[in-house]
Amino acid sequence: MIAHELDPPSLVAECQKVLAHAWMVRTFVKHCEEAEDYPELHAVVRAVFDAARALETRADDPPGFFHMLRKKLPKLKAAAAQFRLDAPRVSLHTNFQQAVISLDACVERLEALLASAAADRAAGT
């Protein structure tokens, strides 16, 4: 489904689906054995947790949700970029490679959904 075809509550629901994928990356990183030896991995764990928890409190308020997403997305994007650098240093295992791809995809999709919400707001829909 194309984002600009969605109403604000549906955009929120789509964001929540994307955040569920980010949460799974967080869970993998948090519980992987390597996390004990590489504390820098905790930054991505915290960033996903912070974004997801802040956004879930606003799921019934699309304007508030997208306002919070605008605040949290830069931190999540920065954490994903750092994770992209850290992950290969930690392990070249496919799990880490896929986690990087997945989190990058989450950030890209959230940016697109946020842009769609902003365009809808500007158009008055």
Side-chain angles (χ1 to χ4, degrees):
M1 184 174 290
I2 299 172
H4 68 271
E5 295 176 355
L6 300 174
D7 61 356
S10 297
L11 283 169
V12 169
E14 189 66 23
C15 287
Q16 289 180 308
K17 289 178 189 176
V18 174
L19 287 165
H21 289 278
W23 192 267
M24 295 310 297
V25 171
R26 173 199 173 271
T27 300
F28 160 68
V29 173
K30 182 178 181 185
H31 296 291
C32 70
E33 291 179 17
E34 293 84 352
E36 293 177 24
D37 298 326
Y38 295 93
E40 61 269 26
L41 293 177
H42 297 291
V44 74
V45 169
R46 284 188 301 274
V48 173
F49 180 88
D50 182 52
R53 293 300 304 241
L55 290 164
E56 76 182 0
T57 65
R58 290 159 175 82
D60 294 332
D61 172 24
F65 183 93
F66 290 109
H67 174 76
M68 183 60 68
L69 182 57
R70 274 190 299 282
K71 288 175 57 176
K72 297 297 181 179
L73 192 54
K75 294 175 187 175
L76 184 60
K77 187 174 183 176
Q82 187 60 50
F83 182 58
R84 192 178 323 111
L85 297 173
D86 293 339
R89 294 182 199 141
V90 172
S91 175
L92 296 176
H93 193 278
T94 302
N95 289 345
F96 279 90
Q97 294 172 6
Q98 294 298 313
V100 168
I101 292 167
S102 184
L103 192 55
D104 282 343
C106 288
V107 169
E108 289 173 19
R109 183 68 177 140
L110 288 170
E111 288 177 323
L113 290 165
L114 183 58
S116 181
D120 287 351
R121 191 178 76 241
T125 58

